[in-house]
Amino acid sequence: MRIALISDIHGNLEALAAVLTHAMRQRVDRIAVLGDIVGYGADPRACTEAVMRLAEEGAIVLKGNHDEAVERADPDMNADALAAITWTRGVLSADHRAFLAGLPLTARLDDLLLVHASARHPGQWPYVMTPRDAELSLDATDARLVASGHTHVPALFSLQPNRTCVAFTPVAGSPVPLAAHRRWQIVVGAVGQPRDGTPLAAYAVLDLAQGVLEPHRVPYDHQAAAAKIRAAGLPDRLASRLALGR
C-alpha cells in the first residue's frame, strides 16, 4: 500500500489542491490527513469540505490542535493563531464543526500509527522535534512506524535496537529506505504553512510494501493564498510568512 501522508493544511486551499494533484500522480492507494485542516488560512470552509470528500472516499482523517480549538479554546495559542481560530468559527457551518469535532486523535494500520503530534499523550499535542521527543513518542506505542505532523518541519528519526536515536532531514525526491530492524518516527512537514525556510508545500508518500518513505515538496500559488488572508482581515504575518516558509 502506498499512503500519501499530508498534514497541517491550515485553510490553504491552493496548497491542498496542488498536493492532492501531485499525490495522484504518485499512484497512491490511500490518503491520510494528519490533522490541522483549519487555522491560519483563509479557506477553512473549502478545505474542510475537500477533506470531508476525501473521508467519504476512504481517506483516514485525524484531529489536530487547531481543529480542536474550533470548539475548545487553546490557551497556548499565540495571538495570531487565536485571531484566525476566532475568525474560522464564524466561517464554518455546524456540519463542518461537527466533522472536525468528531475526528479521532490516532489511527492504526498494522505496524503504522498515525497521529497529529506525538504518540505520547496525543491530545496534549507535544512536538516531535528532537531525537528525545521521537524516543518518547515511539516508547508510547508498539508500532514500528509512527507518522505525525504538527511541527511544520519535515524530519525523520530512527531508533536503533541499542536505543540510539538518530535524526535525519528528508530531502525531497530522495526516497529513504526504512530499515526493518529499526523503528521510525516520520514528521511530514506542512502542506499549508511550511516553516523550514521554503514556501513549497510538504508531504510524503509511505510505501508500506517496499518499506520506503518518499518526501515531496510541491510549488503552489502562495501569493494567491496570502492575498486571501489579507482580504479576510486576518493578521498580516499569516500572509507574509507563506512566501518565506517561516
Side-chain angles (χ1 to χ4, degrees):
M1 181 184 292
R2 289 171 58 79
I3 304 175
L5 303 172
I6 71 175
S7 189
D8 298 278
I9 298 164
H10 284 300
N12 188 332
L13 185 60
E14 286 74 17
L16 175 60
V19 163
L20 291 177
T21 297
H22 189 278
M24 291 304 102
R25 294 173 183 158
Q26 310 310 308
R27 301 185 305 280
V28 299
D29 302 299
R30 200 166 188 185
I31 293 173
V33 179
L34 306 184
D36 277 2
I37 301 163
V38 302
Y40 298 133
D43 279 310
R45 188 182 185 100
C47 288
T48 301
E49 290 174 352
V51 174
M52 290 170 74
R53 288 193 295 271
L54 291 175
E56 291 174 355
E57 295 166 1
I60 297 167
V61 184
L62 304 181
K63 182 185 294 185
N65 57 305
H66 286 253
D67 306 321
E68 182 181 76
V70 171
E71 295 301 322
R72 186 172 68 180
D74 184 346
D76 294 328
M77 281 187 170
N78 62 41
D80 288 348
L82 286 172
I85 284 296
T86 300
W87 178 84
T88 295
R89 289 189 189 115
V91 173
L92 297 178
S93 71
D95 287 345
H96 299 137
R97 293 173 67 153
F99 173 76
L100 297 176
L103 294 174
L105 292 174
T106 66
R108 183 77 180 253
L109 291 175
D110 297 325
D111 218 14
L112 168 66
L113 179 70
L114 303 171
V115 63
H116 178 63
S118 169
R120 180 174 179 262
H121 306 310
Q124 296 179 19
W125 319 111
Y127 289 92
V128 177
M129 303 184 74
T130 68
R132 179 57 178 160
D133 297 334
E135 287 180 38
L136 292 171
S137 179
L138 289 166
D139 283 347
T141 177
D142 63 353
R144 192 177 71 85
L145 307 172
V146 177
S148 62
H150 194 41
T151 70
H152 296 217
V153 177
L156 182 63
F157 300 91
S158 170
L159 184 63
Q160 303 180 61
N162 66 2
R163 300 292 300 169
T164 301
C165 193
V166 180
F168 302 88
T169 300
V171 177
S174 297
V176 182
L178 303 179
H181 66 284
R182 301 180 181 180
R183 300 180 70 206
W184 299 86
Q185 172 81 44
I186 302 161
V187 184
V188 298
V191 170
Q193 197 183 90
R195 293 181 184 167
D196 59 339
T198 171
L200 302 178
Y203 85 105
V205 174
L206 178 59
D207 190 320
L208 290 174
Q210 299 298 319
V212 173
L213 180 72
E214 302 169 7
H216 294 286
R217 301 307 289 260
V218 182
Y220 74 95
D221 191 348
H222 59 80
Q223 293 179 332
K228 288 182 179 179
I229 290 172
R230 294 188 174 101
L234 293 167
D236 187 75
R237 174 165 166 72
L238 300 180
S240 62
R241 71 187 311 172
L242 293 182
L244 303 173
R246 292 291 184 193

